[in-house]
């Protein structure tokens, strides 16, 4: 009943910027940490950025200083602002949300479908 929908991916030139969005909908009682992962062809999925409910953030060393994660709790949405993009940033980007559907339900994790980001000239 919970759906996580990502958008904003596409083709961008090196040095360019792109903003990804991830909106969670359905029966959401409480949202905890939200994260962005990415997976390049032939590679394992890696954590890109994390934002806690209180706003604390953490980034992979490879994107630190270039990417910014943020969230809009009222909209159950997390964003990833990507700047100074490099070809090595090319990957499928996935959103992950830790949430509760009710106060008496355990925490669960929901993945988005992924959105393709291609950095190329």
């Amino acid at each position: 009943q919970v759906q996580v929908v990502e958008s904003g991916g596409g083709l961008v030139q090196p040095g360019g910027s792109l903003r990804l969005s991830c909106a969670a909908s359905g029966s959401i009682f409480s949202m905890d940490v939200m994260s962005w992962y990415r997976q390049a062809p032939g590679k394992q999925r890696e954590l890109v950025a994390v934002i806690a409910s209180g706003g604390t953030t953490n980034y992979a060393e490879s994107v630190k200083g270039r990417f910014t994660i943020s969230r809009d709790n009222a909209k159950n949405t997390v964003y990833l602002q990507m700047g100074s993009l490099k070809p090595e940033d090319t990957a499928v980007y996935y959103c992950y949300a830790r949430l509760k559907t009710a106060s008496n339900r355990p925490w669960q994790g929901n993945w988005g479908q992924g959105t393709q980001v291609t950095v190329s000239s």
Side-chain angles (χ1 to χ4, degrees), residues 42-91:
K43 297 183 179 180
Q44 67 181 40
R45 190 170 299 185
E46 66 171 341
L47 180 64
V48 176
V50 182
I51 183 166
S53 60
T56 302
T57 60
N58 195 23
Y59 300 90
E61 199 65 32
S62 60
V63 307
K64 198 168 187 176
R66 300 187 298 120
F67 291 11
T68 301
I69 187 171
S70 61
R71 63 192 290 164
D72 186 334
N73 291 327
K75 297 181 179 180
N76 290 323
T77 300
V78 62
Y79 306 94
L80 185 66
Q81 180 66 50
M82 305 183 293
S84 300
L85 284 164
K86 306 174 181 179
E88 48 263 48
D89 294 319
T90 296

Side-chain angles (χ1 to χ4, degrees), residues 94-118:
Y94 297 91
C95 175
Y96 177 82
R98 190 169 186 265
L99 54 85
K100 277 189 174 185
T101 58
S103 62
N104 60 347
R105 290 283 188 267
W107 291 102
Q108 65 180 51
N110 288 77
W111 288 94
Q113 78 285 357
T115 184
Q116 177 71 48
V117 173
T118 302

